[in-house]
Every structure is written in C-alpha cells, then in structure tokens.
Amino acid sequence: MSIVVTGATGHLGRHVIEQLLEKVPADQVTAVVRTPQKAADLAARGVRITVADYNSPETLDGVFAPGDKVLLISGSEVGKDRVGQHRAVIDAAKAAGVALLAYTSAPGTLTAALADDHRATEQVLTSSGVPYVLLRNGWYHENYTENLAPVLAHDAVVAAAGDGRIASAARADYAAAAVAVLTGEGHENRTYELSGDEAWSLAEYAAELSRQTGREIAYNAVSGEVLVDILTGAGMPEGFATVLAGVDASIAKGELAGTGGDLSRLAGRPTTPIAEAVAAALKD
C-alpha cells in the first residue's frame, strides 16, 4: 500500500510530497511524474518515482495498486481535454482497486468557466464507485504573489474583480489539507470546501503591498474586456486571459469570498495570512 501523488513535481505536488515525508516513511510514497529528472531529488530521498502522462492512458497501467490512497492533482493545461485526462487516472485507479482517490477541484460556488472541467471531473469520480474525496481548493495566494513583477513595474494592481473579496490561502495550506486526508481516516465520500480564514479585497492587497514596499501602489479596477486586452498585449494567449477575466468576474460577485473553515480544520492550524505571503514573495 502506498500514498500516490500525481503531478508530484508541480507547485502543489511538491508541497504535498514534502509534507507527506514529515508523516510517513519515504518508501510509502509514490510520486507520479512526466519527467523523472525533475524528481531526482525525491528519488534520492527514497520516494518511489513512476513515470506516467495524463494524456497517455496506457502509461497509467500498473501505477496504482490495491489499497493505495491517491491524490489526483488536476491537470494545468487549460484548453486541453482535462476531463479526459482525469478520467484516465480515475479509470486506472478503479481498475487497481485503490482505497481512496482525492481530487483537487474548484470551489462549489465558482461559476466561472475555470470550474467547468472540475465539475465534470467530479461527476466522473463520484459515479465511478471509487471511494473519493473532493478537495475544492479555493484561490491561491501565489496567483498574486508570484506575479509581482508587473505590479511593481507599474505601481498598480490591475484586475476586473471590482470590490470582491478573496479568501485565498497558500499552496502549503492546501497541501496540508490533502496530506491530512491521505494519512487520516474517515474521509471517504466527503467534500471539503477549502479556503483561507480571512477574505481580502484587491484594494487591501494593494495597500499591503504599499505598506511593505514603502511605495504607493494603487488598485486599478478595470472591465473584463480591458483586462483581456492588457493580458493579451503582454503576451498571454487570449483563451487563458479570458479564463482569468472570468474568475475576476466571479470574485466581483463574491464567489471566492467564503471562509467556512474546512481548510484550517483539516490542516490543524490557521491558514497563512496574505501579508505573510507578500513578505515572502518580496524577499525572493
């Protein structure tokens, strides 16, 4: 029996593996990756490395074993057949007889197009007969703090989110919830709405950046159309820019503002404040 993490060398997957290794022996952890070279450090620590690709279902044969607990980290290739990719993993897990499959989904309140693939995957999983957990991850701090260069270049946070509030949390927080589910008991067929303990607005975010940098950083609220123009002008593909503008529209409607407390309860600690994430990003 193993704890299997797909997408293990991605941003979230790395956090999950690191936190798993604090709780279970390395030989009980399997990292599923597309590029084994990126997992060389994990292999050196005793983690089992398995090479597979969501886009090639045949590579998933033999990845899972009876009794495994699996974390399916959602594919990041927006515009690809993500539901098909996820179905391939679910089918392979079902055929192997895994004990649990947890999936990193999107908040149940989110109506933006970004959530469509997640809702469809949830349907595939919940109807598969595989014991499941839906980890409905909210927005990540890093969606903002890893993109500070243009903000600092123009002294402005530009978004189409209006006065909406965002109950985001750090990737490490969401990873802690996943690890709690993978190493704990009694989570079968449960849905967790995961979000930060405190919601904040982008105006408050700009004010926090101003406080920590000593510069005057403004929040410029624009329309969705203008945001798409700005992002595509900076080189972002139009399809992805439209998806991000759609998320901003959902934020403006309050769809990512919920603070239900599931995340901090699973993690066993308060979630990371946005101010702390800003400070860490400015040090990098």
Side-chain angles (χ1 to χ4, degrees):
M1 193 274 288
S2 185
I3 296 175
V4 184
V5 180
T6 73
T9 54
H11 292 303
L12 179 61
R14 279 272 175 187
H15 281 290
V16 172
I17 296 289
E18 289 294 338
Q19 293 186 41
L20 276 173
L21 293 176
E22 296 173 2
K23 293 198 168 189
V24 299
D27 62 6
Q28 293 182 18
V29 179
T30 297
V32 181
V33 302
R34 288 192 294 189
T35 308
Q37 293 84 355
K38 292 182 179 179
D41 61 313
L42 299 179
R45 295 167 67 182
V47 174
R48 178 183 173 225
I49 308 301
T50 299
V51 179
D53 190 327
Y54 294 170
N55 293 305
S56 302
E58 68 278 3
T59 65
L60 295 163
D61 294 342
V63 168
F64 309 113
D68 282 350
K69 290 185 176 181
V70 178
L71 176 64
L72 169 53
I73 295 180
S74 58
S76 60
E77 298 171 309
V78 176
K80 297 289 183 74
D81 179 19
R82 291 203 296 171
V83 180
Q85 293 175 338
H86 300 156
R87 181 182 285 108
V89 177
I90 293 165
D91 287 347
K94 179 178 181 178
V98 304
L100 186 73
L101 193 153
Y103 171 66
T104 60
S105 191
T109 52
L110 186 65
T111 62
L114 182 69
D116 293 347
D117 288 348
H118 293 296
R119 296 288 91 82
T121 299
E122 287 184 2
Q123 180 60 41
V124 172
L125 179 54
T126 58
S127 62
S128 70
V130 176
Y132 68 85
V133 180
L134 300 181
L135 299 171
R136 288 180 169 169
N137 288 358
W139 216 225
Y140 297 168
H141 290 336
E142 289 88 348
N143 292 339
Y144 298 101
T145 60
E146 287 183 352
N147 295 286
L148 285 179
V151 172
L152 298 177
H154 301 284
D155 285 335
V157 175
V158 180
D163 296 324
R165 303 186 74 77
I166 307 159
S168 63
R171 284 197 190 101
D173 298 332
Y174 293 108
V179 168
V181 164
L182 294 168
T183 59
E185 301 295 335
H187 299 287
E188 291 82 359
N189 303 331
R190 299 283 300 274
T191 298
Y192 295 108
E193 296 286 349
L194 305 179
S195 61
D197 293 335
E198 296 183 7
W200 46 273
S201 70
L202 285 166
E204 291 169 347
Y205 175 63
E208 183 62 29
L209 284 169
S210 298
R211 186 184 71 80
Q212 293 199 31
T213 61
R215 295 158 59 173
E216 191 63 37
I217 297 176
Y219 169 44
N220 293 342
V222 299
S223 69
E225 292 79 6
V226 168
L227 181 64
V228 169
D229 287 343
I230 291 170
L231 294 176
T232 54
M236 183 179 289
E238 184 174 357
F240 190 49
T242 301
V243 166
L244 293 183
V247 173
D248 272 8
S250 286
I251 291 171
K253 291 186 284 188
E255 294 177 7
L256 290 181
T259 54
D262 277 358
L263 181 51
S264 54
R265 280 192 291 271
L266 281 174
R269 56 169 175 76
T271 60
T272 306
I274 185 64
E276 187 175 316
V278 168
L282 289 173
K283 286 179 183 177
D284 291 342

